[in-house]
């Protein structure tokens, strides 16, 4: 197998003499460890399939609110003669800070990653991830605060606060600044000034968006009635239903049925209703399955990435301490690892999910906190080997601080197995979410493939095939994709297999 | 080896303690705690007219939930631990463990109202010479029932007093000392209580509530003293085997009573565990019989069509979410209306399965009865299929990798050079040397399958451990959950230990000394 058949960047080898080689003629710059691995990965058809599918899911994760919504894109108010009296954009008013940030971020990401800059591409990727994390932390923290203060059983004083003008901007600015201060230290830019600018811009945009979308607009789905009554004229998105838009008189309709057929009793009623179709049917609450599946892409992508990130951070820290110190630190921490190994992950997950609040972030945290033992053991083994090597000993002798020795010098040499394993961990996290949602322990009020799947069967023994096939297939393809990508990376990095291939 | 084993066994103790503590804290941290679900499930028989706080207090007292979490945990640990300190417990003829009655808390801030609490001086109790077991247990039961009643009355009255106090605190403008449910906080300072008690309006109300609570408290400690006297007379045989009389003894662990079902946890698990083990012990051999040969075949024809196809198929199987597999099987293979209806939808036996003969037979009226064994097997088809398909990928991959490792070893080249038949090389040399990881894989498959059982048993309504766990979670049935965590954890840790021992036995290069 030669390299030049697959990638265009690799130049065909020309015959060069030793002298020319010494002069640097015909020298190909190496791509580095991860670049080589990536070249191996994208030669595997399975991995290509996986990357394509995950990209599709990620695309819907970003754009689902713009593609599947019951709120009209454009709403024209009509007077009695049918003349347009006003134009509003209800869909845009429904967007959350997350929706807008994701769109902005993904549009900014494309030129940032693809255009040739002096800065290395992997550094740019890391910077992009850091800035997304910064923005995400602020948004999540602000939304948790908002949910708490606008909850039902809060005291009157909290309610007064929440309604005060200064409250939302203070919270938004506070969290944005804190997140910026955290990320500022780890941004991979050379110049301090560029770090300050990047962190500040992201913080400012995030804070403005949080404030702008602070009060959650009420979801009123009376556009169809008003449209049927000739009061408005509406232009809708591709999938004309919101995930939460349901009515009991259109529950469990099979795919392809139109809204009019679903709810209309008489011919006149049917005609009055729109002929928007439920392309994949509806669930037991009368909500459109396709719309829910598109909106659930975000949950699927984020739960995989965030919970794996949490588990890797915990696992790497614990594993590094165990492997570096050994002795009683190892003995003690390994008991903690053993605790999590002795109980099946699913058991712990179910117990934790049942007793903690039903919330997406809590679920990510639970999955992350329960499944870190694998990476801890990988890192422990690697650090155990590394800690007696010369570069570590000299780093110690120079008197570098512990975190520098562990994470700056040792970690890059020992993190490979963890990163390869991360792809499988993402797949496992998605499976875990599916199981929890199926058992009714998933996040509340959140479109999820697992929840849809759980409605396919019920206690009475009914079976709705469209609720089994479509969400199940989506989970399966996503898990399969991550597993295929993980396999390809593992094969690319495993030195034993590489040697065997030559 | 001996010291290694001892070390491993001793290290299990902190792991078990940490694990159960984790589950314990998680359940205790749930909103409303364990008592919330008890209220819903009707865990106690309550007279009408009691307030919510009183019900809560009654339940908390009954199940010992009013103590701090760590105290509750140590109590649980003491019951579960096979090594007991202090005087031995007694075992009633019904098999129930009987302990000395628990202490009871005095009303809060009693020092404000009375100077001292009268001592409960119950006279020592002695059974008649030659009293029969039935008489003894009758005497104990009567004393115990009396105490339960008096104690419940006291707890309700105390809750009423605390509520009156809470209302009083609110009325005099000290609402920061009142809990959300309207009772007073245990940290209320003396000055605040003085203000309520000296208040012209609230004072008499609080005083009356306190007097009632105090009177019932005195009654309760008196009856408790009587019960303690009966207990001290040792009406039943003691539990366990004494090591140091009166100090240290060994007894069977007591897993407690299920809050929600009112049955001993041991019985519940005794019913459920065999079902789960049956499913798993049927599934594991199936995994081995399919995955090991196919892994071997894939290794011998490396890069060939079979290798590629089986590899791809197994990754696909491995990626199928177990919930999806279960739902599809249920809908397309078991459901009669939407699918083929070949298999039963739920349960491990037909309704008439209990009356069936053990083996297939012909009934007197000539109809064929397929018998209990076949009926069970028929019901097990889908659950076992759902449990086993994910294991294929892991085991087959492991077998293939282990075989490939050995194929490149020097001894294979030697054998080839000697002219050994390739079949013999594969079966007698490479396979035997690859057995090690295959054997130890069992240990990592087993816990994963115990977890997988949760879903499978839930979907197919199989009354095993998984179903028990899920129901216990929805009811916050703490004792059942803890017992499950304990048993699953122990099984897993012994499986890990077994793997390490097998490793050392199978591979002479591995030694733990």
């Amino acid at each position: 197998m030669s390299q030049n058949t697959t990638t265009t960047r690799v130049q065909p080898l020309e015959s060069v003499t030793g002298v020319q080689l010494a002069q640097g003629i015909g020298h190909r710059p190496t791509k580095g460890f991860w670049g080589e691995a990536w070249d191996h990965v994208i030669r595997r058809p399975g991995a290509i399939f996986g990357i394509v599918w995950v990209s599709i899911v990620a695309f819907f994760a970003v754009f689902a609110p713009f593609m599947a919504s019951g709120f009209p894109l454009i709403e024209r108010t009509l007077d009695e003669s049918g003349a347009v009296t006003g134009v509003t954009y209800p869909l845009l008013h429904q967007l959350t800070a997350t929706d807008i940030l994701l769109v902005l971020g993904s549009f900014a990401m494309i030129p940032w990653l693809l255009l040739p800059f002096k800065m290395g591409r992997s550094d740019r990727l890391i910077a992009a991830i850091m800035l997304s994390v910064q923005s995400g932390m602020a948004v999540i923290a602000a939304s948790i605060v908002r949910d708490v203060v606008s909850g039902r059983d809060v005291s009157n004083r909290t309610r007064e606060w929440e309604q005060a003008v200064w409250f939302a901007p203070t919270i938004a600015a506070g969290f944005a600044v804190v997140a910026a201060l955290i990320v500022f230290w780890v941004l991979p830019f050379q110049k301090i000034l560029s770090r300050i600018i990047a962190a500040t811009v992201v913080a400012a945009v995030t804070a403005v968006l949080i404030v702008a979308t602070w009060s959650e607009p009420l979801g009123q789905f009376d556009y169809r009635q008003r449209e049927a009554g000739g009061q408005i004229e509406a232009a809708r998105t591709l999938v004309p239903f919101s995930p939460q838009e349901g009515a009991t008189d259109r529950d469990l309709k099979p795919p392809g049925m139109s809204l009019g057929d679903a709810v209309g009793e008489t011919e006149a009623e049917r005609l009055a209703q729109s002929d928007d179709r439920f392309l994949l049917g509806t669930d037991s609450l009368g909500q459109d399955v396709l719309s829910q599946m598109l909106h659930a892409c975000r949950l699927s992508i984020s739960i995989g990435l965030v919970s794996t990130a949490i588990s890797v951070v915990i696992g790497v820290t614990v594993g590094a301490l165990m492997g570096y110190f050994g002795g009683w630190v190892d003995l003690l921490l390994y008991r903690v690892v053993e605790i999590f190994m002795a109980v099946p992950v699913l058991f712990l997950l179910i117990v934790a999910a049942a007793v903690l609040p039903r919330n997406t972030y809590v679920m990510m945290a639970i999955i992350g906190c329960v499944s870190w033992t694998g990476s801890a053991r990988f890192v422990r083994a690697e650090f155990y080997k590394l800690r007696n090597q010369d570069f570590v000993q000299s780093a110690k002798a120079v008197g570098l601080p512990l975190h520098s020795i562990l994470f700056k010098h040792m970690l890059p040499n020992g993190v490979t197995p963890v990163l390869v394993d991360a792809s499988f961990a993402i797949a496992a996290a998605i499976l875990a979410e599916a199981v929890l949602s199926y058992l009714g322990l998933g996040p509340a009020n959140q479109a999820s493939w697992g929840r849809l799947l759980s409605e396919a069967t019920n206690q009475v023994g009914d079976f709705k095939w469209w609720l089994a096939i479509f969400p199940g297939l989506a989970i399966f393809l996503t898990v399969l994709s991550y597993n295929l990508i993980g396999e390809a990376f593992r094969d690319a990095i495993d030195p034993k297999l590489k040697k065997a291939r030559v | 080896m001996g010291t290694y084993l001892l070390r491993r066994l001793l290290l299990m103790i902190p792991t078990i303690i940490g694990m159960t503590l984790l589950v314990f804290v998680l359940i205790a941290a749930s909103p409303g705690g364990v008592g919330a679900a008890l209220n819903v499930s009707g865990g106690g028989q309550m007279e009408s007219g009691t307030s919510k706080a009183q019900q809560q207090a009654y339940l908390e007292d009954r199940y010992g939930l009013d103590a701090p979490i760590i105290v509750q945990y140590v109590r649980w640990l003491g019951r579960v631990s096979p090594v007991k300190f202090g005087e031995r417990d007694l075992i009633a003829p019904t098999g129930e463990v009987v302990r000395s009655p628990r202490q009871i808390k005095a009303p809060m801030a009693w020092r404000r109202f009375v100077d001292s609490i009268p001592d409960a001086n119950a006279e020592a109790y002695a059974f008649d010479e030659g009293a029969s077991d039935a008489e003894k247990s009758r005497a104990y039961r009567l004393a115990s029932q009396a105490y339960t009643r008096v104690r419940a009355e006291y707890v309700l009255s105390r809750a009423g007093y605390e509520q009156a106090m809470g209302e009083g605190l609110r009325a005099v403008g000290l609402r920061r000392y009142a809990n959300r449910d309207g009772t007073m906080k245990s940290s209320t300072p003396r000055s605040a209580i003085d203000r309520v008690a000296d208040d012209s309006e609230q004072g008499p109300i609080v005083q009356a509530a306190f007097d009632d609570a105090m009177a019932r408290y005195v009654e309760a400690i008196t009856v408790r003293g009587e019960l303690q006297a009966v207990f001290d007379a040792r009406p039943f045989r003691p539990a366990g085997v004494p090591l140091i009389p009166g100090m240290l003894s060994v007894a069977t662990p007591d897993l407690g009573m299920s809050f929600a079902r009112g049955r001993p946890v041991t019985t519940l698990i005794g019913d459920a565990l065999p079902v789960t083990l049956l499913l798993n012990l049927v599934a594991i051999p199936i995994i081995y019989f399919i995955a090991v040969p196919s892994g071997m075949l894939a290794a011998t024809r490396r890069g060939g069509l079979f290798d590629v196809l089986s590899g791809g198929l197994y990754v696909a199987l491995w990626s199928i979410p177990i919930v999806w597999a279960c739902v599809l099987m249920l809908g397309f293979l078991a459901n009669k209306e939407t699918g083929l209806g070949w298999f039963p939808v739920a349960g491990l036996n037909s309704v008439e399965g209990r009356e069936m003969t053990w083996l297939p037979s012909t009934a007197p009226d000539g109809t064929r009865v397929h018998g209990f064994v076949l009926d069970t097997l028929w019901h097990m088809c889908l659950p076992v299929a759902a449990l086993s398909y994910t294991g294929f990928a892991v085991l087959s991959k492991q077998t293939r990798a282990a075989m490939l490792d050995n194929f490149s070893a020097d001894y294979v080249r030697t054998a080839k050079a000697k002219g050994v038949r390739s079949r013999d090389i594969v079966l007698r040399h490479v396979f035997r040397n690859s057995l090690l990881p295959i054997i130890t894989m069992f240990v990592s498959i087993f816990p994963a399958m115990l977890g997988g059982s949760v879903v499978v048993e839930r979907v197919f309504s199989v009354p095993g451990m998984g179903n028990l766990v899920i129901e216990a979670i929805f009811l916050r049935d703490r004792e059942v959950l803890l017992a499950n965590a304990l048993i699953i954890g122990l099984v897993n840790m012994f499986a890990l230990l077994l793997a390490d021992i097998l490793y050392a036995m199978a591979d002479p290069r591995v030694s733990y000394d």
Side-chain angles (χ1 to χ4, degrees):
Chain A
M1 241 189 275
S2 78
Q3 291 206 338
N4 46 18
T5 50
T6 48
T7 52
T8 50
R9 270 173 284 143
V10 179
Q11 299 296 315
L13 283 175
E14 294 157 22
S15 56
V16 284
T17 64
V19 178
Q20 281 173 317
L21 198 62
Q23 287 168 342
I25 295 169
H27 166 72
R28 271 192 300 141
T30 54
K31 291 178 164 179
F33 180 70
W34 290 105
E36 292 283 340
W38 177 251
D39 283 348
H40 278 284
V41 167
I42 54 170
R43 262 190 270 137
R44 298 267 293 249
I48 295 171
F49 165 80
I51 291 167
V52 169
W53 175 258
V54 172
S55 311
I56 293 173
V57 175
F59 177 80
F60 287 130
V62 175
F63 293 104
F66 301 91
M67 303 175 71
S69 176
F71 295 96
L73 261 176
I74 309 165
E75 180 198 14
R76 294 195 190 81
T77 325
L78 307 177
D79 63 6
E80 273 160 35
S81 62
V84 178
T85 54
V87 180
T88 53
Y89 306 93
L91 175 60
L92 296 185
H93 295 293
Q94 290 294 320
L95 295 177
T96 63
T98 322
D99 297 337
I100 303 170
L101 276 172
L102 277 177
V103 173
L104 287 181
S106 53
F107 276 126
M109 199 84 90
I110 294 167
W112 173 247
L113 287 183
L114 296 186
L115 290 182
F117 288 123
K118 210 161 70 183
M119 193 176 168
R121 194 161 274 145
S122 56
D123 274 353
R124 277 187 264 161
L125 185 66
I126 292 172
I129 293 172
M130 296 282 171
L131 293 173
S132 324
V133 168
Q134 178 195 338
S135 175
M137 280 195 298
V139 170
I140 290 173
S143 80
I144 289 174
V145 168
R146 191 188 62 190
D147 290 350
V148 168
V149 297
S150 60
R152 248 182 296 159
D153 47 334
V154 293
S155 68
N156 288 335
R157 196 192 290 169
T158 324
R159 193 150 293 151
E160 273 168 36
W161 275 9
E162 201 259 326
Q163 271 145 17
V165 185
W166 52 267
F167 188 73
T170 315
I171 293 289
F175 283 129
V177 168
V178 170
L181 285 180
I182 295 172
V183 169
F184 170 76
W185 298 105
V186 286
L187 272 179
F189 292 115
Q190 290 285 320
K191 288 183 194 150
I192 295 280
L193 187 64
S194 14
R195 283 206 238 170
I196 295 176
I197 292 174
T200 316
V201 168
V202 170
V205 172
T206 312
V208 167
L209 285 174
I210 292 174
V211 176
T213 58
W214 182 264
S215 58
E216 225 168 294
L218 288 171
Q220 298 249 337
F221 294 105
D222 61 345
Y223 297 98
R224 283 181 208 283
Q225 282 88 329
R226 280 155 60 199
E227 201 178 1
Q231 296 158 348
I232 60 164
E233 203 178 70
R236 283 169 209 285
T237 49
L238 212 57
V239 180
F241 300 101
S242 282
Q244 308 87 5
E245 180 186 358
T248 42
D249 57 351
R250 50 173 159 117
D251 59 337
L252 295 173
K253 298 294 180 232
M257 186 177 267
S258 75
L259 184 60
D261 286 339
V263 302
E265 291 281 318
T266 65
E267 188 68 27
E269 272 177 30
R270 253 176 256 162
L271 284 177
Q273 289 291 345
S274 85
D275 57 352
D276 287 339
R277 282 176 192 284
F278 302 113
L279 283 180
L280 299 185
T282 59
D283 67 4
S284 63
L285 298 171
Q287 299 168 342
D288 184 40
V289 171
L290 177 58
S291 171
Q292 289 192 64
M293 283 188 55
L294 292 183
H295 280 262
C297 289
R298 190 176 291 174
L299 180 68
S300 176
I301 290 272
S302 59
I303 213 144
L305 291 181
V306 176
S307 55
T308 306
I310 294 174
S311 80
V312 166
V313 168
I314 302 177
V316 163
T317 315
V318 174
L321 291 177
M322 283 195 293
Y324 180 74
F325 285 111
W328 66 266
V329 177
D330 185 37
L331 193 73
L332 201 71
L333 287 177
Y334 204 77
R335 296 284 81 70
V336 183
V337 174
E338 214 170 44
I339 289 172
F340 282 89
M341 274 165 54
V343 195
V345 169
L346 202 59
F347 177 87
L348 269 186
L349 269 180
I350 292 172
V351 174
V355 302
L356 296 175
R358 304 276 155 83
N359 177 315
T360 323
Y361 309 124
V362 173
M363 183 182 248
M364 290 170 183
I366 294 171
I367 298 180
C369 291
V370 161
S371 48
W372 52 271
T373 50
S375 40
R377 288 164 70 206
F378 278 132
V379 173
R380 173 178 181 256
E382 291 287 329
F383 273 46
Y384 204 76
K385 278 184 262 171
L386 287 174
R387 68 171 177 176
N388 290 326
Q389 291 205 356
D390 288 345
F391 73 97
V392 178
Q393 292 300 324
S394 41
K396 238 198 254 181
V398 175
L400 288 181
L402 181 64
H403 64 87
S404 171
I405 300 177
L406 286 185
F407 299 117
K408 228 173 188 163
H409 295 265
M410 291 175 81
L411 189 59
N413 293 292
V415 82
T416 315
V418 176
L419 291 183
V420 171
D421 192 61
S423 190
F424 299 108
I426 295 177
I430 292 173
L431 284 179
E433 191 273 333
V435 169
L436 289 182
S437 295
Y438 182 86
L439 294 173
L441 300 171
N445 306 323
Q446 172 86 42
S448 142
W449 293 336
R451 195 192 68 76
L452 284 174
L453 186 57
S454 74
E455 296 203 343
T457 53
N458 63 10
Q459 298 294 320
V460 197
D462 294 329
F463 176 70
K464 304 286 175 234
W465 63 268
W466 62 92
L467 286 168
I469 299 282
F470 303 123
L473 202 61
I475 304 173
F476 166 64
L477 286 177
T478 312
V479 172
L480 180 66
S481 298
Y482 282 116
N483 281 338
L484 287 172
I485 297 172
E487 288 232 316
F489 259 111
R490 189 164 58 187
D491 290 355
I493 281 166
D494 192 347
K496 222 185 315 181
L497 286 175
K498 211 186 279 175
K499 200 167 53 187
R501 198 179 286 137
V502 170
Chain B
M1 198 71 190
T3 41
Y4 173 76
L5 270 182
L6 189 69
R7 193 179 123 95
R8 283 289 294 264
L9 288 174
L10 284 180
L11 281 177
M12 270 185 197
I13 297 171
T15 310
I16 283 288
I17 291 179
M19 189 182 72
T20 45
L21 184 64
L22 180 73
V23 177
F24 202 98
V25 170
L26 264 179
I27 303 171
S30 74
V34 184
L38 281 173
N39 268 333
V40 177
S41 68
Q45 289 75 42
M46 205 69 61
E47 295 160 40
S48 57
T50 49
S51 77
K52 211 174 166 200
Q54 282 176 315
Q55 290 185 20
Q56 186 75 21
Y58 170 73
L59 287 175
E60 283 185 355
D61 178 72
R62 180 171 164 172
Y63 295 102
L65 304 175
D66 45 356
I69 291 178
I70 198 72
V71 174
Q72 293 183 40
Y73 177 70
V74 170
R75 260 186 221 155
W76 179 83
L77 210 59
R79 279 193 281 121
V80 165
S81 158
V83 182
K84 318 262 185 200
F85 299 98
E87 198 67 41
R88 281 189 289 167
D89 298 327
L90 305 180
I91 290 191
T94 51
E96 205 182 327
V97 181
V98 175
R99 293 194 177 75
S100 103
R102 229 165 350 114
Q103 294 293 341
I104 187 164
K105 268 198 304 189
M108 258 189 240
W110 57 270
R111 286 195 179 78
R112 168 63 182 76
F113 299 96
V114 289
D115 291 331
S116 64
I117 292 175
D119 291 331
N121 291 324
E123 287 167 26
Y125 191 91
F127 290 110
D128 296 338
E129 196 71 29
S132 70
D133 280 355
E135 282 168 40
K136 285 180 179 176
S137 63
R138 198 176 114 78
Y140 178 80
R141 205 178 61 233
L142 284 179
S144 157
Q145 280 170 351
Y147 178 55
T148 311
R149 198 183 58 244
V150 175
R151 181 172 180 136
E153 278 168 8
Y154 162 63
V155 169
L156 292 182
S157 168
R158 186 184 65 193
Y161 157 67
E162 283 169 13
Q163 218 165 1
M165 203 70 195
E167 271 158 32
L169 284 168
R170 276 166 202 267
V172 298
L174 290 168
R175 65 176 301 157
R176 64 177 176 278
Y177 295 123
N179 284 320
R180 272 196 178 181
D181 59 354
T183 55
M184 69 190 281
K185 280 189 180 152
S186 52
S187 58
T188 314
R190 177 67 183 266
S191 60
I193 292 167
D194 283 342
R195 265 182 71 181
V196 179
D198 296 339
D199 192 69
S200 59
E201 221 172 278
Q202 298 296 328
I205 305 175
V206 172
Q207 184 70 45
F210 176 81
D211 289 345
D212 184 52
M214 197 64 208
R216 286 177 195 276
Y217 177 65
V218 173
E219 195 187 348
I221 51 175
T222 314
V223 180
R224 183 188 174 279
E226 284 161 15
L227 177 62
Q228 180 72 50
V230 176
F231 180 82
D232 286 342
R234 316 297 276 176
F236 309 118
R237 68 185 172 84
V241 184
L243 294 180
I244 309 169
M247 305 261 293
L248 197 66
S249 61
V250 179
T252 34
D254 173 24
L255 295 175
M257 295 281 272
S258 155
F259 288 166
R261 301 204 201 181
R263 289 173 63 197
V265 175
T266 325
T267 349
L268 290 177
I269 291 181
D271 289 345
L273 191 61
V275 174
T276 302
L277 283 183
L278 177 69
L279 285 183
N280 282 293
L281 291 183
V282 172
I284 288 179
I286 292 179
I287 295 179
Y288 270 80
F289 274 119
I290 293 184
V292 171
S294 90
M296 284 168 68
L297 205 60
T300 47
R301 308 199 180 149
R302 176 177 189 203
L305 189 65
F306 181 81
D307 187 19
V308 174
L309 280 187
S310 69
L313 179 72
Y314 285 144
V315 176
L317 277 182
W318 188 34
S319 305
I320 295 179
I322 191 159
V323 278
W324 194 39
C326 291
V327 166
L328 289 184
M329 282 197 251
L330 208 56
F332 290 116
L333 295 179
N335 197 312
K336 285 203 176 64
E337 285 160 35
T338 55
L340 300 166
W342 287 349
F343 296 97
V345 181
L348 204 58
N349 291 111
S350 314
V351 183
E352 62 270 21
R354 301 260 168 225
E355 284 106 57
M356 280 180 188
T357 49
W358 185 249
L359 290 172
S361 61
T362 312
D365 57 350
T367 50
R368 287 286 295 165
V369 177
H370 51 251
F372 185 78
V373 173
L374 278 186
D375 185 61
T376 309
L377 281 180
W378 183 52
H379 278 80
M380 275 166 54
C381 282
L382 294 184
V384 165
L387 272 180
S388 48
Y389 77 88
T390 39
F392 294 154
V394 184
L395 190 62
S396 161
K397 226 174 163 49
Q398 199 77 22
T399 313
R400 180 176 172 273
M403 298 273 290
L404 285 180
D405 254 2
N406 279 303
F407 267 127
S408 53
D410 288 340
Y411 69 88
V412 175
R413 201 173 44 205
T414 314
K416 270 186 195 156
K418 263 170 43 180
V420 180
R421 277 190 306 167
S422 65
R423 221 190 70 179
D424 284 349
I425 293 181
V426 172
L427 289 181
R428 300 186 60 171
H429 295 276
V430 175
F431 180 60
R432 286 181 72 173
N433 277 305
S434 316
L435 266 177
L436 202 60
I438 301 174
I439 294 172
T440 51
M441 267 310 279
F442 168 77
V443 177
S444 61
I445 289 180
F446 192 63
M449 286 179 63
L450 278 182
S453 308
V454 174
V455 178
V456 173
E457 288 174 9
R458 185 75 181 164
V459 178
F460 292 104
S461 313
V462 177
M465 291 281 271
N467 230 338
L468 189 68
V469 166
I470 297 276
E471 274 171 26
I473 280 171
F474 283 124
L475 292 169
R476 304 274 192 285
D477 202 339
R478 191 182 71 193
E479 309 300 291
V480 176
L481 283 178
L482 283 170
N484 263 302
L486 182 73
I487 288 175
I488 294 177
L490 274 178
V491 166
N492 278 342
M493 279 193 294
F494 274 106
L496 283 175
L497 182 61
L498 187 70
D500 289 344
I501 295 172
L502 281 180
Y503 219 92
M505 280 166 65
D507 190 341
R509 287 168 299 181
V510 178
S511 148
Y512 294 120
D513 290 324

